[in-house]
Amino acid sequence: MMDLVFSVDVAAPAGTTWLALTDWTRQGEWMLGTHVRVESGDGRSVGSRLAAFTGLGGVGFTDTMEITAWEPPVRCTVRHSGTLIRGSGAFHVHPKGPQSSTFVWSESLDVPLGLLGRLGWPVARPLFELGVRQSLKRFAAFAADYTMGAP
């Protein structure tokens, strides 16, 4: 298992940060190389299924997820159920004041690709973390300017 925790401060109220975070179809505006769609359900309740394609030029992988907890505007947890990505993830939003919040993204994932994945993870991890940190910087700007439904 690999356990990862990332956070970013956001210059937006917790409610706005939550809405920006769970606007699944717009995640590609801040998450590097990723396009998310709601596969079933409304995307805002337990049991809804999401699919996130990550890659470039059509080459990549799809991470399938099911929402396992939905507690707006505080917490959403998912179960990753794909062939490559398996485990659990959580999004938490913590209010820091009337106009600021902190977004915490955590994952507990099985290392994919067996022995090859376990051997390669120490090399891949810094690049993966760099990508997530860059995405979180983009998210902070996205959430600070967030208008629901508007690209």
Side-chain angles (χ1 to χ4, degrees):
M1 292 293 278
M2 56 182 165
D3 294 316
L4 305 163
V5 179
F6 302 95
S7 67
V8 66
D9 290 332
V10 180
T16 300
T17 298
W18 173 263
L19 290 173
L21 174 63
T22 59
D23 191 342
W24 307 119
T25 59
R26 292 187 63 197
Q27 276 196 358
E29 293 178 43
W30 59 269
M31 195 177 297
L32 295 175
T34 300
H35 172 76
V36 180
R37 66 186 183 279
V38 177
E39 292 281 288
S40 68
D42 60 7
R44 297 196 172 280
S45 60
V46 171
S48 292
R49 294 184 174 274
L50 311 170
F53 176 81
T54 300
L56 295 171
V59 177
F61 64 93
T62 299
D63 177 11
T64 55
M65 296 162 271
E66 179 179 349
I67 295 175
T68 56
W70 183 262
E71 301 170 26
V74 178
R75 181 174 77 109
C76 173
T77 62
V78 298
R79 180 178 54 83
H80 297 276
S81 57
T83 54
L84 188 63
I85 308 294
R86 301 188 67 77
S88 61
F91 293 149
H92 287 87
V93 177
H94 302 282
K96 289 183 62 181
Q99 295 300 317
S100 63
S101 54
T102 300
F103 164 41
V104 179
W105 178 2
S106 61
E107 299 282 355
S108 183
L109 302 171
D110 293 330
V111 177
L113 306 175
L115 179 61
L116 179 63
R118 287 190 299 279
L119 292 173
W121 179 240
V123 174
R125 183 178 183 141
L127 293 173
F128 174 80
E129 289 180 350
L130 180 66
V132 172
R133 284 192 178 85
Q134 183 62 34
S135 292
L136 289 178
K137 283 182 187 178
R138 290 171 51 155
F139 174 76
F142 174 79
D145 294 333
Y146 183 73
T147 303
M148 201 155 114

